[in-house]
């Protein structure tokens, strides 16, 4: 525990420069007295660390000093390499940077940790996208990511439904959710979320973006996600389907939707279950229900049932009234 704290103290000073004893104590969750003892111990061990007094003083390392990562634990080394997702990093324009960073960390690790990190990369792979989902094209993600990092505004053209709108946004965060990239940005003082795949053009501007000091990206995303799920329009639909065909419903609407659905007793339907599901975006529900196939029957509400019937009639008419074009082989 103490050895790990000493390494963390060194890494804090390397990454941030001079820090006061109080700041180090807060970061490492120990007392100021413990920090002073740790500094004395590091100095006695030959680490070029010193303390300056005065308003601009603090605890510092001699310029240019760097510690090797010999204090990294096996679990920390494995977690570092497991977190390096090559796909998302490449989409952000950081693929070669991540690879270079991992190579440098690997070279700095002692042999026993190097071996464990290598085995982890060989045995585990993280793929954030869902099944049967092609990766969305995000040609302007690297531009948006650079703007977030540099604090620059971006002029974008954005597909919203059937129209293209132009916006100047101050991007302050990027989120990967279920294989889909989102850009969080300020527009006329209001926080907005944009799906990166719908950005058809992005040009970085010279205008700087003032990032709110108290903005927490993770907290904002959690709150906005909850609001999105809570406020999205929904419709409650009763369907009948055989138990052994329920996997088709899961494939279209997802495991969470089926797990949250209510199972209702229906003695008139032997061999089937009656499922009451809450589905989002009523205008799209009929097509999705039809996509489950002939094993599913919509029971209620009557409006959704009628939409499914009309849509099925249109599909059938399309095939009845058309003649397939012969393709030369």
């Amino acid at each position: 525990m103490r050895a790990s704290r000493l390494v963390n103290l060194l890494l804090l000073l390397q990454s941030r420069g001079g820090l006061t004893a109080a700041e180090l104590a807060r970061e490492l969750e120990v007392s100021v007295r413990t920090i002073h003892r740790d500094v004395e111990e590091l100095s006695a061990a030959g680490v070029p660390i010193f303390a300056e007094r005065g308003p601009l003083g603090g605890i510092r390392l001699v310029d240019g000093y760097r510690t090797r990562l010999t204090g990294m634990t096996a679990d920390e080394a494995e977690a570092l390499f497991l977190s390096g997702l090559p796909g998302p990093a490449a989409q952000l324009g950081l693929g070669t940077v991540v690879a270079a960073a991992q190579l440098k960390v690997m070279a700095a690790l002692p042999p026993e940790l190097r071996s464990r990190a290598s085995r982890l990369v060989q045995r585990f792979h993280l793929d954030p996208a869902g099944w049967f989902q092609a990766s969305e094209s995000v040609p302007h993600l690297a531009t948006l990511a650079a703007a977030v990092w540099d604090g620059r505004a971006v002029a974008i053209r954005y597909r919203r439904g059937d129209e293209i709108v132009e916006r100047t946004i101050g991007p302050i965060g990027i989120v990967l959710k279920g294989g889909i990239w989102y850009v969080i940005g300020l527009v006329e003082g209001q926080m907005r979320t944009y799906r990166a795949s719908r950005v058809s053009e992005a040009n970085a501007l010279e205008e700087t973006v003032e990032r709110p000091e108290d903005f927490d990206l993770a907290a904002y995303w959690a709150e906005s996600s909850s609001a999105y799920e809570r406020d999205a329009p929904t419709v409650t639909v009763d369907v009948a389907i055989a138990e052994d065909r329920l996997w088709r419903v899961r494939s279209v609407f997802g495991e969470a939707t089926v797990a949250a659905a209510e199972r209702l007793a229906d003695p008139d339907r032997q061999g089937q279950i009656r499922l009451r599901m809450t589905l989002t975006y009523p205008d799209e529900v009929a097509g999705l229900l039809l996509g489950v196939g002939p094993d599913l029957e919509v029971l209620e509400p009557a409006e959704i049932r009628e939409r499914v019937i009309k849509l099925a009639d249109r599909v059938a008419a399309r095939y009845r009234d058309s003649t397939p074009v012969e393709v030369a082989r």
Side-chain angles (χ1 to χ4, degrees), residues 150-162:
D150 295 336
R152 298 286 183 182
V154 179
I156 65 171
R157 290 171 60 83
Y158 187 77
R159 294 191 303 274
R160 189 174 63 186
D162 296 330

Side-chain angles (χ1 to χ4, degrees), residues 293-304:
D295 298 312
L296 177 140
E297 180 184 354
V298 178
L299 306 177
E300 295 180 10
E303 178 186 1
I304 299 297

Side-chain angles (χ1 to χ4, degrees), residues 127-188:
D127 182 358
W131 287 108
F132 309 109
Q133 293 180 357
S135 297
E136 288 191 330
S137 175
V138 282
H140 304 291
L141 183 62
T143 300
L144 294 166
V148 169
W149 186 256
D150 295 336
R152 298 286 183 182
V154 179
I156 65 171
R157 290 171 60 83
Y158 187 77
R159 294 191 303 274
R160 189 174 63 186
D162 296 330
E163 63 176 341
I164 298 289
V165 298
E166 296 184 356
R167 294 285 186 271
T168 296
I169 67 172
I172 59 175
I174 291 181
V175 174
L176 177 62
K177 167 73 171 179
I180 299 173
W181 290 100
Y182 296 90
V183 181
I184 315 300
L186 287 167
V187 179
E188 298 179 349

